[in-house]
Amino acid sequence: MKSGFCVLPFIHMEIQPSGGVYSCCHSNNPQELGHLHKDSLLEVWNGKNLESFQDEFTKGSPQDLEHCKDCFYYESLDAESWRQAENRNWKEIIPKLESGKLTQPKSISIRFSNLCNFSCRTCKPATSTGWFPDAKFLNPKGDYHKKSSTLPTNPMLNQIDPFIDDLHHLYFAGGEPMMEIEHYQILEEFIKRNSAVELSYDTNLSILKLGKYNAIEQWKKFKTVNLSASIDGFGPKGEYIRKGLVWDDYLNNWNLIKRELPHVRMRINFTLSIYNMFHVLEFIEEAIRLDMFSDNDPNDLTISLVEEPSWQSLQALPANVKDIVEGRYLDFIKKNIGFGKIEKDLNIALKYMRGDDLSNLMPTFRTFNTKIDLIRAEKFKGLFEEEAKLLGIK
């Protein structure tokens, strides 16, 4: 395959809350291949937009695609990109693509809507209905509405029906997928027709039941389930950043799943931003202290970097604060705790942080944080005293 090849356009379809269909979710400038409000998923898979996009990876220059620039940017920092990781995950499929296009996708990712019960500080109304009340205070004239990736006349189950029997991987994200009744109905159909499918989730781990459905009972009927539980921190600091989080409930649900479903792969996806630039180290130590990965792979505690909004990313830190962050991370790494891939992820975070100087955006961060603190009757300085002093937040 050509240099810069990515397997995802040939095996995967990504459905976003607004109904747009893409080849992946790893882009800040995604290229839409179709839309489920006017096209069926089958039409998108067989459509000319996808064919043209695939041609860029076999005949063209994928490095020039706006959609793919984020991956190549990570690689320029000597950090593993999503492209590289997915090529590794699907390495057995790649040789089969030499003989032509697959008759159907191997993987589908579903984001039903922006319905969510959390309003995390690194999120936005477009991906969380929980953000609406605060957003209306910030911008009363804004357009805030619940999105739906499909129309009532052609719901998601109908859209994916042609692919159910032979699908290898089904991924749910949001919003919060566990709040969607369609999620449970789709699982029921897969239990009947294809319980061998591999299930994966991005979830805030706050909900395990909805109406008559119990996710734990459904997951018992699938051989492979991967749960990635998103988090920004633990205790009061985590609850401040991830509004809606109750840390004790998160832990209780984590331990319940470990106890009831030992076959489920439990993951933590820690979202690293300016807010938790120091707290991330405390979180790692707390996860180890709580023995959260006693029966799971410690490599499944991963750190994801906030890139958007850019004024919340580590790149927006002033130079002197970047120096302090780097010192803290390197001192932590020197402890050689030997836990999973944490050292690797922290080194990638440092490379990303140094990859660009966006410190001119720090006033935007301060203004946003002050407004949200006022709306929510919270105080950043009360929990993050050192960070507030360094960032000039009163």
Side-chain angles (χ1 to χ4, degrees):
M1 290 293 182
K2 289 191 63 170
S3 173
F5 177 81
C6 179
V7 69
L8 287 183
F10 300 86
I11 57 103
H12 180 73
M13 285 196 290
E14 180 81 26
I15 302 168
Q16 287 290 313
S18 62
V21 182
Y22 305 84
S23 66
C24 76
C25 66
H26 305 313
S27 174
N28 290 315
N29 295 286
Q31 181 173 329
E32 187 175 281
L33 304 173
H35 201 288
L36 296 188
H37 289 188
K38 56 183 180 180
D39 313 302
S40 72
L41 197 61
L42 183 61
E43 288 171 335
V44 176
W45 175 252
N46 292 317
K48 292 189 178 299
N49 288 344
L50 178 56
E51 182 180 356
S52 176
F53 192 72
Q54 291 170 337
D55 284 346
E56 290 293 333
F57 294 87
T58 55
K59 305 172 185 176
S61 301
Q63 294 90 337
D64 296 332
L65 289 170
E66 284 295 321
H67 181 99
C68 301
K69 285 189 174 180
D70 294 305
C71 276
F72 293 112
Y73 174 67
Y74 267 75
E75 291 170 29
S76 75
L77 300 176
D78 196 29
E80 184 178 59
S81 68
W82 298 284
R83 179 187 74 86
Q84 292 169 324
E86 296 291 2
N87 283 349
R88 185 178 66 252
N89 292 338
W90 295 92
K91 61 183 179 182
E92 295 179 0
I93 295 293
I94 293 176
K96 299 178 182 179
L97 300 176
E98 298 280 2
S99 58
K101 180 177 177 176
L102 301 179
T103 56
Q104 78 158 62
K106 297 289 184 182
S107 174
I108 294 176
S109 171
I110 298 174
R111 287 170 166 80
F112 294 100
S113 73
N114 56 341
L115 179 65
C116 187
N117 54 340
F118 283 15
S119 53
C120 309
R121 292 204 175 211
T122 55
C123 198
K124 56 189 176 181
T127 47
S128 171
T129 55
W131 245 104
F132 288 2
D134 292 345
K136 288 175 182 177
F137 272 100
L138 293 173
N139 180 16
K141 296 183 179 180
D143 180 19
Y144 311 112
H145 64 278
K146 182 179 179 292
K147 299 180 179 181
S148 179
S149 55
T150 58
L151 297 174
T153 53
N154 196 2
M156 188 64 70
L157 184 56
N158 288 0
Q159 298 279 1
I160 66 170
D161 183 78
F163 311 112
I164 288 178
D165 295 328
D166 296 310
L167 199 67
H168 286 208
H169 181 239
L170 181 61
Y171 172 78
F172 294 104
E176 173 49 49
M178 305 301 292
M179 295 179 69
E180 303 280 359
I181 198 70
E182 277 192 281
H183 154 257
Y184 302 89
Q185 294 168 344
I186 287 172
L187 289 192
E188 289 298 300
E189 192 65 20
F190 271 88
I191 289 169
K192 296 175 187 175
R193 295 167 55 183
N194 183 8
S195 62
V197 71
E198 178 179 351
L199 299 179
S200 295
Y201 289 81
D202 272 342
T203 172
N204 61 34
L205 209 63
S206 65
I207 295 171
L208 297 175
K209 297 178 181 179
L210 188 64
K212 67 178 182 179
Y213 297 105
N214 183 322
I216 287 182
E217 294 304 315
Q218 289 182 311
W219 290 335
K220 287 178 180 178
K221 299 174 183 178
F222 291 90
K223 182 179 179 180
T224 307
V225 182
N226 309 299
L227 290 182
S228 180
S230 302
I231 200 72
D232 298 283
F234 70 95
K237 290 183 178 179
E239 292 170 350
Y240 171 91
I241 303 170
R242 183 166 285 253
K243 188 71 171 180
L245 169 71
V246 178
W247 173 242
D248 287 343
D249 290 349
Y250 181 98
L251 279 181
N252 289 337
N253 284 338
W254 177 277
N255 291 322
L256 174 65
I257 295 168
K258 283 181 65 177
R259 184 172 63 251
E260 296 290 325
L261 302 169
H263 74 291
V264 171
R265 183 177 180 180
M266 298 289 289
R267 301 174 174 178
I268 289 178
N269 180 29
F270 186 96
T271 307
L272 179 58
S273 68
I274 288 177
Y275 280 109
N276 48 28
M277 58 185 180
F278 295 148
H279 183 57
V280 60
L281 305 181
E282 298 171 337
F283 181 86
I284 294 166
E285 292 176 334
E286 184 69 2
I288 294 172
R289 186 188 72 80
L290 292 172
D291 205 19
M292 296 182 74
F293 289 87
S294 57
D295 299 312
N296 295 93
D297 186 348
N299 286 299
D300 286 337
L301 172 53
T302 63
I303 298 172
S304 295
L305 302 174
V306 168
E307 299 178 52
E308 293 292 337
S310 53
W311 42 268
Q312 291 192 23
S313 79
L314 296 183
Q315 292 183 340
L317 291 170
N320 67 308
V321 181
K322 287 183 179 180
D323 290 341
I324 296 171
V325 170
E326 182 172 33
R328 297 280 177 89
Y329 289 12
L330 293 179
D331 285 345
F332 188 86
I333 290 169
K334 285 178 183 177
K335 291 181 182 179
N336 192 26
I337 61 173
F339 188 83
K341 57 192 281 289
I342 288 303
E343 294 180 5
K344 179 182 177 181
D345 284 358
L346 289 174
N347 274 313
I348 290 173
L350 292 177
K351 289 176 182 177
Y352 175 78
M353 181 181 72
R354 296 293 192 184
D356 203 353
D357 177 15
L358 301 181
S359 57
N360 62 303
L361 299 178
M362 183 50 57
T364 304
F365 176 84
R366 294 191 195 102
T367 300
F368 168 83
N369 190 70
T370 299
K371 289 180 178 180
I372 295 299
D373 270 0
L374 183 62
I375 292 170
R376 297 181 178 181
E378 297 174 341
K379 197 167 182 63
F380 179 76
K381 185 177 180 180
L383 289 171
F384 301 90
E385 186 174 355
E386 180 186 11
E387 293 89 336
K389 184 177 180 180
L390 289 170
L391 299 174
I393 297 175
K394 299 179 181 181

